[in-house]
């Protein structure tokens, strides 16, 4: 072997470091990195680069030595505690719960609707045939999605499962969706089984290796996930015995998606996801403790109690030994708990010193808002949206909503790609194989199958801060040709324009038949009479008016 290619033993883990990695991987990784840095420094001298942030001879960075581990080393040891603390915050901390609820409300809302968008020309069919196919397929998918039969436990419909999967994904770091076929209602039906993150784990406490990491089976050559180990019971359940089932991510012969893994990939090679609030768990907890302390202090300040102190000489003259003993015993039993309107007898010689805590604290609200702003920055959610408190101008409020909506839209698109679209493709493949839907070439050509599966997933619109201004802007966009009625309809409330058009045509026909048709269509205001945006930061009171959304 060429000596130049031979590994240097000084830069390989020692026996002690390998043994320690089985018990405390982070400690072993830091020990190894520290030793390697020392060896490297000794070899190259005291030369330094040009980045001040990497200097070790400055007071601000001298003690700053973060580990540079792999995604597995940095994430895996902390995951159980991160999940537990994330869920605790979601249960008990108003800011964390409010952030998650707001995110779920805007990303999922009442559910993501499926609208077929096939290309008739590419598929070699007429536009009329394509329209008929899309209407029939959309109706069939809606019938499947509206029924709780699509749920493994027959509790939730498809839209509620999407909401629960997204909430679990953000709260726990990731969520798994199994896609088995079950016999229901006399036919083979696709069902969805949601699996919480904790249930995917190494069987019987096995150590991680190059083939198994946190319950995920990996190809040792490429690192590609190939299967997961799912425990029968939750690891935190009280039942003692447990069993694990290995589920292949894809069918070996058919390449069918058996498992959908919902997670945010933050680093190349990452196997498991981290909770959404993982980077800000500590400030969230500190903020919660401070809020609780301020609330308790304000409650204590509001209590009115009377302390009665008796002179020691008068006490001895007024009471005999028996009565004095009873009073002393009663006073000694007071726990110190304050109750409004309570009269407290103090022992002879005792004196109550009342301390005024100065509540409410005038500095509480400014500092609380400053902290929540930083939390909102970490979550990609403006302060006004996170706190659901709008006091600024129309321009500032609309800017905050637009910034937040970009994040909501990005997460909605990711949810559709990771869960909704794969589920549709599995459902459509089953319908085609059963002969209920005709899709020529579906199983013969991957590109043809993709064309049949082309779709749009739409949800609730962002709502309106000033409906008149925003509908006028939409009208101008369509008139200029930079937008379409379909795009504006989806952006407004997530509903398909064609469905609205058909309903509106029926309504107009009925009004003409009954002689109640208006002289002009509502909203057809001349451009000159349309209200204009003064653009000077109108500081009027704001009222968010979300559009009404039809039930799917």
């Amino acid at each position: 072997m060429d000596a130049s290619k031979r590994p240097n033993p000084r830069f390989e883990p020692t026996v002690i470091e390998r043994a320690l990695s089985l018990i405390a991987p982070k400690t072993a990784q830091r020990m190894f990195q520290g030793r390697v840095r020392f060896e490297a420094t000794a070899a190259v001298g005291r030369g330094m680069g040009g980045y001040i942030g990497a200097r070790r001879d400055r007071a601000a960075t001298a003690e700053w030595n973060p580990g540079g581990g792999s995604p597995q080393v940095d994430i895996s040891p902390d995951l159980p505690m991160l999940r537990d603390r994330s869920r605790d915050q979601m249960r008990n901390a108003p800011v964390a719960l409010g952030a998650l609820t707001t995110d779920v409300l805007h990303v999922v809302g009442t559910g993501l609707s499926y609208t077929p968008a096939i290309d008739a020309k590419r598929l070699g069919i007429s536009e009329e045939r394509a329209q008929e196919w899309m209407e029939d397929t959309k109706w069939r998918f809606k019938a499947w999605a509206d029924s709780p039969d699509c749920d493994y436990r027959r509790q939730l419909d498809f839209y509620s499962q999407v909401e629960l999967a997204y909430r679990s994904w953000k709260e726990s770091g990731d969520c798994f969706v199994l896609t088995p076929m079950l016999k229901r209602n006399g036919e083979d039906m696709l069902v969805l089984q949601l699996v919480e993150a904790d249930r995917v784990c190494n069987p019987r406490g096995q150590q991680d290796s190059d083939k198994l990491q946190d319950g995920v089976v990996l190809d040792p050559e490429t690192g590609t996930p190939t299967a997961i180990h799912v425990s029968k019971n939750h690891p935190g359940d009280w039942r003692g015995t447990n069993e694990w089932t290995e589920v292949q991510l894809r069918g070996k012969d058919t390449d069918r998606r058996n498992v959908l893994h919902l997670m945010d990939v933050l680093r190349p090679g990452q196997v498991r996801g981290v909770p959404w609030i993982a980077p800000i768990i500590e400030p969230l907890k500190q903020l919660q403790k401070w809020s609780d302390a301020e609330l308790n202090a304000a409650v204590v300040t509001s209590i009115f109690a009377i302390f009665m102190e008796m002179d020691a000489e008068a006490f001895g003259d007024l009471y005999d030994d028996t009565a004095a003993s009873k009073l002393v015993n009663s006073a000694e039993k007071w726990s110190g708990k304050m109750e409004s309107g309570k009269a407290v007898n103090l022992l002879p010689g005792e004196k109550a010193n009342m301390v005024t805590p100065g509540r409410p604290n005038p500095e509480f609200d400014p500092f609380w808002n400053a902290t929540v702003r930083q939390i909102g920055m970490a979550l990609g959610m403006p302060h006004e949206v996170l706190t659901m408190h709008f006091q600024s101008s129309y321009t500032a409020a609309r800017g905050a909503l637009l910034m937040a909506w970009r994040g909501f839209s990005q997460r909605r698109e990711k949810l559709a790609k990771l869960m909704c679209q794969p589920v549709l493709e599995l459902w459509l493949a089953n319908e085609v194989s059963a002969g209920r839907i005709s899709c020529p070439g579906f199983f013969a050509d991957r590109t043809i199958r993709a064309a049949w599966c082309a779709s749009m997933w739409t949800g609730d619109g962002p709502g309106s801060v000033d409906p008149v201004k925003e509908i006028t802007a939409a009208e101008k966009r369509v008139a200029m040709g930079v937008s379409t009625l379909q795009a504006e309809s989806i952006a407004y409330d997530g509903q398909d324009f064609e469905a609205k058009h058909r309903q509106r045509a029926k309504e107009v026909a009925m009004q003409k038949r009954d002689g109640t048709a208006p002289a002009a269509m509502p909203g057809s205001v001349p451009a000159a009479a349309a209200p204009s945006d003064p653009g000077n930061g109108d500081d009027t009171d704001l009222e968010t008016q979300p559009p009404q959304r039809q039930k799917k």
Side-chain angles (χ1 to χ4, degrees), residues 25 101 128 161 184 347 422 441 523:
T101 301
E128 292 76 12
Q161 289 183 84
R184 288 186 175 173
L347 292 173

Side-chain angles (χ1 to χ4, degrees), residues 118-402:
I118 65 174
D119 188 338
K121 182 178 180 180
R122 179 174 293 274
L123 293 172
I125 59 178
S126 64
E127 291 291 343
E128 292 76 12
R129 169 65 183 134
Q131 186 63 35
E132 293 176 359
W133 185 93
M134 289 190 290
E135 291 180 1
D136 179 69
T137 303
K138 184 176 181 179
W139 178 85
R140 288 180 178 275
F141 181 82
K142 185 176 184 300
W144 174 83
D146 285 341
S147 172
D149 287 339
C150 67
D151 181 9
Y152 186 83
R153 304 183 66 180
R154 287 187 165 177
Q155 289 182 317
L156 306 173
D157 61 14
F158 171 70
Y159 309 106
S160 299
Q161 289 183 84
V162 172
E163 177 184 352
L164 179 59
Y166 182 74
R167 181 180 292 273
S168 180
W169 167 11
K170 292 301 178 181
E171 187 175 276
S172 303
D174 52 10
C175 181
F176 295 83
V177 184
L178 308 187
T179 61
M181 299 293 298
L182 297 181
K183 197 79 172 180
R184 288 186 175 173
N185 303 322
E187 61 184 38
D188 291 331
M189 177 181 289
L190 169 68
V191 298
L192 305 180
Q193 181 181 3
L194 304 187
V195 178
E196 198 169 36
D198 308 68
R199 290 182 57 195
V200 178
C201 53
N202 294 350
R204 299 173 184 82
Q206 294 182 27
Q207 293 293 333
D208 286 345
S209 65
D210 59 344
K211 297 181 180 179
L212 179 65
Q213 292 184 8
D214 285 324
V216 180
V217 180
L218 305 175
D219 186 320
E221 297 296 330
T222 63
T224 304
T226 60
I228 59 173
H229 289 281
V230 182
S231 63
K232 181 179 180 182
N233 303 320
H234 192 284
D237 205 343
W238 58 268
R239 285 170 283 194
T241 60
N242 209 347
E243 300 176 0
W244 281 263
T245 302
E246 182 175 337
V247 182
Q248 298 295 320
L249 297 187
R250 290 180 177 270
K252 292 183 179 180
D253 299 327
T254 62
D255 203 40
R256 180 185 184 273
R257 298 284 296 274
N258 298 325
V259 180
L260 307 178
H261 188 186
L262 313 182
M263 63 173 282
D264 290 310
V265 180
L266 305 177
R267 296 178 61 181
Q270 183 177 337
V271 177
R272 299 297 302 270
V274 296
W276 187 37
I277 63 171
I280 54 172
I281 281 182
E282 182 181 2
L284 279 171
K285 183 61 177 178
Q286 296 284 54
L287 187 66
Q288 179 192 3
K289 291 170 65 176
W290 185 37
S291 299
D292 291 342
E294 289 293 332
L295 178 60
N296 291 334
V299 171
V300 171
T301 306
S302 68
I303 292 176
F304 175 75
I306 300 176
F307 293 90
M308 296 182 294
E309 183 182 1
M310 182 173 291
D311 181 78
E313 295 181 1
F315 183 78
D317 295 338
L318 292 174
Y319 301 99
D320 58 17
D321 293 342
T322 303
S325 177
K326 289 182 179 180
L327 288 173
V328 170
N329 290 336
S330 176
E332 288 179 342
K333 291 180 180 179
W334 179 54
S335 64
K337 181 179 180 181
M338 299 290 291
E339 297 179 12
S340 184
K342 182 179 181 65
V344 181
N345 287 313
L346 299 177
L347 292 173
E350 292 183 338
K351 186 177 181 179
N353 294 321
M354 303 301 295
V355 179
T356 303
R359 295 297 189 275
N361 183 0
E363 301 299 327
F364 174 76
D365 191 65
F367 189 80
W368 187 92
N369 279 287
T371 304
V372 172
R373 284 191 183 93
Q374 296 184 47
I375 292 173
M377 290 167 58
L379 300 178
M381 194 177 297
H383 174 260
E384 295 90 342
V385 178
L386 178 59
T387 59
M388 292 183 282
H389 188 59
F390 294 86
Q391 285 187 318
S392 54
S393 65
Y394 166 82
T395 304
R398 179 165 173 76
L401 288 172
L402 288 176

